[in-house]
Amino acid sequence: MARVFSGIQPSGELHIGNYLGAVRNWVELQHQHECLFSVVDLHAITQPYDVTTLPQRTLDMAIGLLAAGLLPERCTLFVQSHVSDHTELNWLLNTVTPLGELERQTQFKDKSQRQESVPAGLLNYPVLQAADVLLYQATLVPVGEDQLQHLELMREIARRWNARFAPDGPFTFPEPQAQLTTSKRVLGLDGQAKMSKSLGNTIGLLESSEAIWEKLRPAATDPARKTRKDPGNPDICNIFTIHQGFSPPDVQRTVAQNCRTAGWGCLDCKKVLADNMIATLTPIRERATALKSDPKGVRRILSAGAAKARALAESTMALVRRQMGFLEPAED
Ligand code: SF4
């Protein structure tokens, strides 16, 4: 059994892209491994953000994760800022992280280009990610392709720290392995960009059945299907990708066949998809409604998760502080 760590930013309610790309996999992983999942609010502040809505967005994300199937008795769910060791280890790892590697990270280059003044936190984001994982000596990290570069840097940081402070072994930090997400990435409803709340191209995980259909109806399909008689290619249609997330295999085969032969129109295809999405998402929405009616209960779950995470983190930090040569405080 491996120890798994993964995090998600507190963007408020989950959307189906988060669900299919990450959270559904987490729900399975919690039955196979020892899992820690975190709402990573410390990562969220590396970009401009709304201070007043951050607490509610953090709570809403936790509600979405629990409603989607994370079970507090099977995994540790907590808010990153509730375990202060993340920031301490972040600082310590900064001292062995090469600046050049940080500057080479594709995500940093993308995001920094869009800003006039680049905060150092954006540059150091991958070091905090390394701290998140190494703090728990986690060995498995579920990631999408776009996070592989950060994971490789995390491994490099672990190697450098071990070589400097635990040269004779045993190594304090195992080099974490990637568990690559197998599902194809769902694009936004525009069929162009990544599904993202800021782009307004999402379907929320907790949307009503009516809202799901309202959003699905005008969503982009294979542009080759200009009329009902034109055959399409499901492999380049985002609606088919969403079918692969929600529809059973026999329905997926029918969809592909009907698309290639112009056996049905895109609206027919979307109606079948809407039915399957609604069947999956209705129980999730119902669980979320119950959780929303008890925010104190959700916060208690998060506090219990943070206490479990803190116990693991403190044991790693005691070892790390000793290995780095810090003077221990006197006992009373
Ligand atoms: S029939 Fe379905 S899979 Fe084919 S282009 Fe239309 S929406 Fe996409």
Side-chain angles (χ1 to χ4, degrees):
M1 186 189 280
R3 184 175 288 165
V4 174
F5 179 92
S6 199
I8 189 163
Q9 290 211 14
S11 56
E13 282 187 4
L14 286 165
H15 57 65
I16 60 164
N18 306 134
Y19 178 67
L20 297 177
V23 176
R24 197 170 56 166
N25 182 35
W26 292 7
V27 173
E28 282 175 25
L29 283 173
Q30 70 181 338
H31 296 290
Q32 298 156 4
H33 298 291
E34 180 191 358
C35 293
L36 294 116
F37 299 120
S38 183
V39 182
V40 288
D41 50 354
L42 296 171
H43 284 283
I45 62 169
T46 53
Q47 299 273 26
Y49 72 102
D50 183 354
V51 173
T52 57
T53 59
L54 182 60
Q56 191 59 47
R57 282 186 282 120
T58 305
L59 190 64
D60 286 344
M61 179 53 73
I63 288 172
L65 293 172
L66 291 165
L70 289 189
L71 302 167
E73 62 276 19
R74 300 283 333 173
C75 69
T76 302
L77 176 65
F78 67 103
V79 177
Q80 185 188 27
S81 64
H82 292 180
V83 182
S84 58
D85 304 274
H86 285 256
T87 43
E88 183 182 351
L89 185 58
N90 177 203
W91 173 249
L92 302 182
L93 296 180
N94 265 323
T95 63
V96 295
T97 304
L99 178 63
E101 290 290 338
L102 292 176
E103 287 170 335
R104 266 194 289 281
Q105 298 298 304
T106 310
Q107 283 195 10
F108 170 69
K109 287 199 267 186
D110 284 353
K111 287 182 179 165
S112 59
Q113 267 171 8
R114 288 184 248 136
Q115 301 197 20
E116 249 174 57
S117 165
V118 181
L122 196 60
L123 181 73
N124 289 332
Y125 187 107
V127 189
L128 181 57
Q129 277 188 323
D132 296 339
V133 173
L134 301 181
L135 185 58
Y136 302 104
Q137 298 170 307
T139 52
L140 198 63
V141 184
V143 284
E145 294 256 351
D146 59 342
Q147 286 295 323
L148 273 180
Q149 195 186 22
H150 283 180
L151 191 96
E152 197 39 60
L153 177 58
M154 197 180 287
R155 291 162 56 81
E156 172 69 15
I157 292 171
R159 276 194 295 272
R160 282 176 179 253
W161 193 96
N162 287 335
R164 171 79 178 83
F165 297 108
D168 303 323
F171 293 141
T172 305
F173 297 129
E175 285 180 41
Q177 304 291 323
Q179 193 232 30
L180 250 187
T181 312
T182 48
S183 57
K184 207 168 140 191
R185 176 186 273 190
V186 174
L187 295 175
L189 296 175
D190 49 15
Q192 304 285 327
K194 175 181 170 182
M195 188 170 273
S196 156
K197 216 170 170 193
S198 58
L199 298 174
N201 62 3
T202 62
I203 295 183
L205 200 65
L206 310 180
E207 304 238 29
S208 68
S209 306
E210 297 74 28
I212 290 173
W213 176 241
E214 282 306 306
K215 289 191 168 181
L216 215 45
R217 200 158 42 102
T221 62
D222 175 2
R225 293 211 72 186
K226 289 194 177 58
T227 72
R228 166 82 171 68
K229 288 183 190 149
D230 297 320
N233 179 0
D235 296 334
I236 59 162
C237 177
N238 192 42
I239 296 298
F240 185 62
T241 307
I242 306 176
H243 264 294
Q244 290 173 313
F246 288 102
S247 300
D250 58 324
V251 175
Q252 292 175 35
R253 281 193 289 276
T254 306
V255 171
Q257 163 81 4
N258 285 350
C259 179
R260 290 186 207 283
T261 59
W264 65 7
C266 289
L267 268 187
D268 304 315
C269 181
K270 289 172 175 176
K271 274 188 194 133
V272 173
L273 174 58
D275 287 345
N276 288 326
M277 285 178 67
I278 289 164
T280 303
L281 299 183
T282 299
I284 294 178
R285 193 174 66 245
E286 288 170 356
R287 281 197 292 274
T289 304
L291 289 160
K292 279 180 184 173
S293 71
D294 181 21
K296 274 194 187 149
V298 176
R299 291 177 70 170
R300 272 197 295 273
I301 291 172
L302 293 173
S303 293
K308 272 165 71 185
R310 213 175 286 123
L312 294 171
E314 280 172 2
S315 128
T316 308
M317 288 310 296
L319 181 62
V320 165
R321 285 187 207 109
R322 210 164 44 244
Q323 286 173 306
M324 290 186 79
F326 294 114
L327 178 67
E328 286 183 33
E331 287 173 17
D332 289 336

